[in-house]
Amino acid sequence: MVALVFVAVSVLLGLTSLLLYGNLVATEERYDDTIESLDKISFSVDILFNYGNGTKIWHNDTRLPMGVNLYNVTVLVLDGKLDATYYPEYQSHFIMSINGVSAADDPDKLYWSWIAWFFDEGLGEWVSYDVSADMVYPKEGDILAWYFEDTSNFPDFEFPN
């Protein structure tokens, strides 16, 4: 009798394991299909916010909809926690503050500003954009950064390591 119960429990556990494994495989296939579909309408970037005071916050593998510019990316990633002024004559935003960090509150930072950068893998170094964030359209795998820095020696400033 004990042996019969043992066999019955073993069979039930085996069938349950097979059922759970089948569900796992099906879920993995649905996940892969979803990612494949998502890749057709979106892309991923890594973006760094360097506050110029030692605080650095990375947002890695940030999935974004196709067609967004760097300004849109910044608004999306920060959930709107930035202050910017739009200049229609340049069709561009000037970022005044990110997460409350700006030069406005500190007279010692009169020439500080938020500057957009990208990592140029060919050069192996950070490069600042020469156009506004509204004119930059990131692509899959880009490594982007906003750095709050002293721009008094523009254009000879460098990205800190």
Side-chain angles (χ1 to χ4, degrees), residues 116-138:
W117 296 76
F118 68 97
F119 189 76
D120 185 320
E121 293 194 28
L123 296 174
E125 63 185 37
W126 289 96
V127 178
S128 63
Y129 286 105
D130 57 0
V131 295
S132 78
D134 297 82
M135 313 258 175
V136 173
Y137 288 86

Side-chain angles (χ1 to χ4, degrees), residues 35 37-44 63-66 140:
I35 294 300
S37 296
L38 203 52
D39 284 342
K40 294 176 184 173
I41 60 169
S42 65
F43 63 100
S44 293
R63 189 157 290 278
L64 302 164
M66 295 289 194
E140 175 67 36

Side-chain angles (χ1 to χ4, degrees), residues 84-95:
T85 301
Y86 183 71
Y87 293 93
E89 63 271 27
Y90 303 111
Q91 298 179 345
S92 299
H93 287 87
F94 181 74
I95 306 293

